[in-house]
Amino acid sequence: NALILRSLEPSARVAYFVISNTVCGVLHLVLNMNHYPMPMLSFDTAMDLGFFRFQCVTTLNIASNGWTSWYYGGLENQIEHHLFPLMPRHNLPKITERVKKLCQDHAVPFTVAAGFFDANNKVMKTLNNATRNIDVVLSRKDSHGNISTPSELHEE
C-alpha cells in the first residue's frame, strides 16, 4: 500500500483514502451487526458446544432483499458463512433452508435479524447492556467459575 500511495498524485491519494475507508467501514458495520448482538462465550463453553453449535450461537443472519444483499456482500448469511467459510457467497442462500432444518432438528438456535435497523438495534442493546454491567464485562471467570479482576490477570 505504501508504494502504491507514493506513486499517486496527492488528489489520487485522498481519493484512495476515502474509497478504502468507505469500503472498510461498510464491511465493519456488517460484521458488527452479525456478531455483536450474540453471546460472548468462554473458551471452555465454546469447546463444550462444538463447532456447529458454536457457529450458530455466536452469529446471526440478517434478512435481506436484492439491494441489501448486494450491500452486505453476501455476509447477511453469516451463519452459513461461518459453517462453510470457503463456499462462494452467492451460494450461501442456497443452503440456508438445510442449515435451518439441521438447527431445528438439533435444538440449535438459528437467529435472523429482521433487517438493517433491527440488526443495528440489537447491537445498540448489547452495547447498552455492556455499559450497565461493566463490572461483569471487565471480570473474567476461569474454568472453575472463580472471578478474577483484570488487575489480577496481569499480576506477575
Side-chain angles (χ1 to χ4, degrees):
N1 273 346
L3 290 175
I4 292 171
L5 284 176
R6 285 184 185 181
S7 67
L8 297 174
E9 294 295 321
S11 62
R13 289 180 194 173
V14 171
Y16 176 85
F17 176 81
V18 169
I19 291 169
S20 65
N21 280 284
T22 301
V23 171
C24 290
V26 169
L27 179 61
H28 188 253
L29 177 64
V30 171
L31 294 176
N32 285 344
M33 291 187 301
N34 291 121
H35 294 92
Y36 276 23
M38 305 310 287
M40 300 289 255
L41 306 174
S42 70
F43 179 78
D44 292 341
T45 302
M47 292 296 102
D48 290 344
L49 286 176
F51 177 80
F52 176 72
R53 285 183 188 276
F54 178 76
Q55 301 308 323
C56 295
V57 166
T58 59
T59 56
L60 66 78
N61 284 359
I62 304 171
S64 65
N65 57 39
W67 185 86
T68 56
S69 181
W70 174 86
Y71 176 79
Y72 297 136
L75 293 177
E76 71 276 16
N77 299 97
Q78 192 70 197
I79 295 170
E80 296 86 336
H81 170 67
H82 276 238
L83 293 172
F84 305 99
L86 298 179
M87 181 178 284
R89 291 183 189 158
H90 67 275
N91 287 332
L92 294 173
K94 296 175 184 177
I95 64 166
T96 297
E97 290 307 315
R98 288 180 175 181
V99 173
K100 278 185 187 178
K101 176 83 168 88
L102 189 61
C103 288
Q104 183 180 14
D105 291 348
H106 296 279
V108 175
F110 186 93
T111 307
V112 181
F116 178 84
F117 293 106
D118 183 42
N120 277 292
N121 188 40
K122 291 176 185 303
V123 170
M124 296 308 291
K125 283 181 181 177
T126 299
L127 294 175
N128 187 39
N129 289 339
T131 59
R132 281 189 285 139
N133 299 303
I134 195 69
D135 292 338
V136 174
V137 171
L138 293 177
S139 71
R140 302 288 187 264
K141 283 189 179 181
D142 63 19
S143 59
H144 305 289
N146 300 319
I147 297 177
S148 300
T149 63
S151 61
E152 291 172 335
L153 293 173
H154 298 291
E155 288 180 1
E156 295 182 27

